[in-house]
Amino acid sequence: MSVKQEQISVNEEELTKLINNKKESLLLFDLRTKEEFVNGHIGGSVNAVCDAYAKENIIPRIPKIGKMVLLCQDGTISEPTAKMMRSYGFDAYFLEGGMKNWQGELEIKSFEPAISVNQLWEDILQKKEVFLIDVRPKEDYSSFKIPGSINIPLAELFNSETVDRLPNDKQLVTVCPRGNMSMVGVFALARNGISAKGLTGGLSAWGQLITSSELFHNGLSIFQIKKIGKGCISYILSSQKEAVVIDPVYPLEEYIKIASQRDLKISVVMDTHLHADHVSAARELAKITGAQLMLSEVENYEFSFNKLNNDNRIKFGGSEIKVIHTPGHTPGSISYLLDEKYLFSGDTVFAEGIGRPDLRDKAREFANDLYDTLHLLLQLPGDVNVLPGHYSSDEYLTKSVGTNIDKIRKFSILNLNKKEFVEKVVGIEMPKPMNYEKIIMINKGFEAIDRTNIPYLELGPNRCAITAN
Ligand SMILES: [Fe+2]
């Protein structure tokens, strides 16, 4: 008696039929080397590596719809891989005899299925036509996204009608939290003959992208350094080759790079407040550069630092910074007034809003302080430039962020009396930054900084501001 074996192979004729039947979902994974793939592959197939990383991160996210056919040079790799994929629950097959026996048409083109966040940023800056497809579920997408991206949840990318609506004159880039689901999206699109690239590292890598620009230079220089995926802003101020860094973020190499390019000695590193939305790099940057670490005396930190009080003066080069205690967003919030002209306001006041007072669960008390603080700042001359610690509007993605006291005076929320202001502010309900309690513990020094984990801890939008209207 013969036992009927489960069929896990397809011959050339069967595979051709599957490929031509566009109504059926089909994933064609070519397991050969990149060179072999580029020299000639079946149209619609994608070059895939089935390693430990793929087994853990990619395979579990591939939707189990339709058939999967695995290709290698002679079948010796694709057969066991097909068996393995079956153990994961896929309807998987391998091509009998492999690609060496394939007589059908071959496509020849080089195809790089991934793009780094740095390259994507370059493309955006150069106004290249990029079409970002966020493959996360709708709920995740609506809470935060890369500006300009559209949402097509992963399973929908396997639907040919959805795919038909995609533009064919733009570089398609798929986006997900860590860069795994997006690669599955690349596979799905390849099935329909569409080349896309997955964003390497996904939104967590995007969140760590740093850009910098010099706002001006006239003996005194101010560099604005933005973590664009988070909307965090930090600054390097320099005068006579001496520099002060305010609110540095990870990765901190940008500060060291700018200092060495300009031959600057970083002598002071300070934060405007105890941050809840991102891990502060102040402590490590001060240690690396030998700078003094200066922080508010009002907060408790588990490490040694120079305590700042209201009205302290910090001299560097030919400039002077005045410390202004501006409680409200946090009790220890400080604003720094440089040469009576530039106010580094941290999360107290922004170009389009004010700091939220509810991240320590004492919203009413903090809102009272915030009112006093904001009205104190309004007494500064109207032409004092205000350089905040965050931005939220996409318009600032590629331009510098700043405002002045005159413009802040026009915030309608600042026309309210104290009672009205407090009631309005405590009545605004907003989600808190992801992982904010853990981030506070790290920034206080109670927990060690693990640089590899920062992109995941910080994943999510910046949520330090409330509207000014
Ligand atoms: Fe903040």
Side-chain angles (χ1 to χ4, degrees):
M1 191 178 90
S2 69
V3 177
K4 196 176 174 219
Q5 288 253 318
E6 192 181 28
Q7 189 199 341
I8 67 162
S9 67
V10 289
N11 60 31
E12 183 167 336
E13 190 185 335
E14 289 166 328
L15 179 55
T16 305
K17 267 193 201 157
L18 284 173
I19 290 171
N20 291 335
N21 180 5
K22 294 284 180 191
K23 286 196 178 128
E24 272 237 27
S25 289
L26 173 69
L27 284 169
L28 267 180
F29 287 156
D30 190 324
L31 305 173
R32 295 174 302 160
T33 64
K34 193 172 171 184
E35 292 70 36
E36 287 169 331
F37 179 82
V38 169
N39 285 334
H41 56 267
I42 297 174
S45 64
V46 281
N47 195 205
V49 180
C50 193
D51 58 8
Y53 177 84
K55 281 180 193 167
E56 190 179 333
N57 298 293
I58 298 179
I59 293 170
R61 293 179 172 83
I62 301 174
K64 293 181 180 67
I65 48 175
K67 290 185 165 51
M68 174 187 291
V69 178
L70 298 150
L71 314 164
C72 72
Q73 194 57 19
D74 55 9
T76 54
I77 296 171
S78 53
E79 180 173 358
T81 308
K83 285 180 181 161
M84 183 197 77
M85 296 307 278
R86 284 187 167 239
S87 73
Y88 280 97
F90 291 99
D91 189 15
Y93 302 82
F94 71 98
L95 175 64
E96 281 170 19
M99 291 298 291
K100 71 178 170 45
N101 290 336
W102 176 259
Q103 301 293 318
E105 271 183 49
L106 290 175
E107 270 186 14
I108 299 169
K109 64 176 176 184
S110 80
F111 170 57
E112 183 53 61
I115 182 169
S116 69
V117 289
N118 287 315
Q119 185 59 53
L120 174 63
W121 180 242
E122 275 302 307
D123 290 353
I124 291 171
L125 286 181
Q126 290 173 18
K127 305 210 180 325
K128 285 194 183 161
E129 296 283 6
V130 179
F131 191 83
L132 294 166
I133 303 167
D134 192 317
V135 303
R136 292 174 298 158
K138 282 195 170 56
E139 318 80 78
D140 296 355
Y141 170 80
S142 55
S143 87
F144 77 105
K145 54 187 168 281
I146 297 179
S149 62
I150 59 135
N151 182 221
I152 305 179
L154 186 59
E156 290 179 32
L157 277 187
F158 286 82
N159 178 340
S160 60
E161 283 174 24
T162 306
V163 171
D164 286 345
R165 294 199 295 269
L166 295 173
N168 54 17
D169 57 347
K170 293 181 179 174
Q171 168 67 64
L172 305 183
V173 176
T174 53
V175 178
C176 69
R178 295 190 182 203
N180 303 319
M181 275 178 8
S182 60
M183 288 311 297
V184 179
V186 171
F187 302 155
L189 291 168
R191 158 67 180 140
N192 288 284
I194 296 172
S195 299
K197 293 175 190 280
L199 183 63
T200 304
L203 287 154
S204 39
W206 173 260
Q208 300 299 304
L209 187 61
I210 300 271
T211 67
S212 60
S213 61
E214 189 170 13
L215 298 186
F216 62 86
H217 178 84
N218 59 357
L220 175 73
S221 270
I222 299 179
F223 296 87
Q224 187 168 68
I225 294 149
K226 289 191 283 188
K227 197 168 195 176
I228 57 170
K230 286 290 298 174
C232 296
I233 315 175
S234 53
Y235 299 90
I236 299 178
L237 331 177
S238 79
S239 171
Q240 298 171 5
K241 300 292 179 193
E242 195 176 348
V244 171
V245 181
I246 298 175
D247 285 336
V249 295
Y250 284 96
L252 51 72
E253 285 67 27
E254 186 73 10
Y255 309 95
I256 294 167
K257 188 179 94 186
I258 291 174
S260 86
Q261 280 173 347
R262 304 293 178 113
D263 195 23
L264 305 176
K265 165 78 183 136
I266 298 176
S267 55
V268 174
V269 178
M270 48 202 194
D271 276 345
T272 52
H273 63 290
L274 174 57
H275 297 289
D277 63 315
H278 66 269
V279 178
S280 167
R283 201 173 9 145
E284 191 171 346
L285 184 61
K287 197 171 167 195
I288 291 171
T289 58
Q292 292 189 67
L293 175 63
M294 296 188 176
L295 301 167
S296 169
E297 64 155 5
V298 175
E299 295 288 355
N300 291 319
Y301 293 96
E302 279 296 290
F303 45 82
S304 59
F305 62 98
N306 295 282
K307 292 184 175 177
L308 290 174
N309 295 302
N310 188 45
D311 217 24
N312 278 166
R313 311 280 165 144
I314 301 159
K315 288 188 167 40
F316 69 106
S319 289
E320 185 181 79
I321 294 169
K322 181 182 168 190
V323 173
I324 308 173
H325 183 211
T326 48
H329 175 61
T330 67
S333 282
I334 282 171
S335 297
Y336 298 109
L337 182 62
L338 169 64
D339 292 343
E340 304 292 333
K341 283 192 205 134
Y342 305 96
L343 183 77
F344 298 88
S345 59
D347 289 5
T348 296
V349 63
F350 306 102
E352 318 139 299
I354 58 172
R356 62 188 291 182
D358 63 332
L359 290 177
R360 306 280 183 86
D361 303 320
K362 290 183 183 168
R364 188 166 291 276
E365 182 188 323
F366 285 19
N368 269 283
D369 290 343
L370 186 62
Y371 178 89
D372 294 339
T373 280
L374 292 168
H375 286 270
L376 174 79
L377 294 179
L378 292 189
Q379 290 170 24
L380 289 167
D383 61 353
V384 165
N385 294 285
V386 177
L387 296 164
H390 283 293
Y391 66 98
S392 50
S393 167
D394 295 346
E395 74 172 292
Y396 291 119
L397 204 58
T398 53
K399 69 177 198 184
S400 58
V401 186
T403 184
N404 62 32
I405 296 291
D406 267 342
K407 288 181 183 156
I408 290 170
R409 286 197 181 113
K410 297 192 178 112
F411 287 0
S412 59
I413 202 164
L414 297 180
N415 291 325
L416 302 176
N417 66 34
K418 191 169 188 175
K419 190 166 178 291
E420 292 166 340
F421 175 88
V422 171
E423 289 310 320
K424 171 145 188 164
V425 166
V426 299
I428 297 171
E429 286 201 6
M430 280 173 64
K432 293 184 173 165
M434 294 215 338
N435 305 315
Y436 78 102
E437 284 163 321
K438 185 171 177 68
I439 291 173
I440 288 175
M441 293 303 277
I442 291 171
N443 286 339
K444 275 179 171 256
F446 283 106
E447 287 188 31
I449 294 172
D450 171 4
R451 283 180 75 160
T452 58
N453 197 36
I454 290 174
Y456 311 121
L457 264 184
E458 293 183 350
L459 190 62
N462 161 248
R463 287 177 178 146
C464 283
I466 51 179
T467 175
N469 297 307

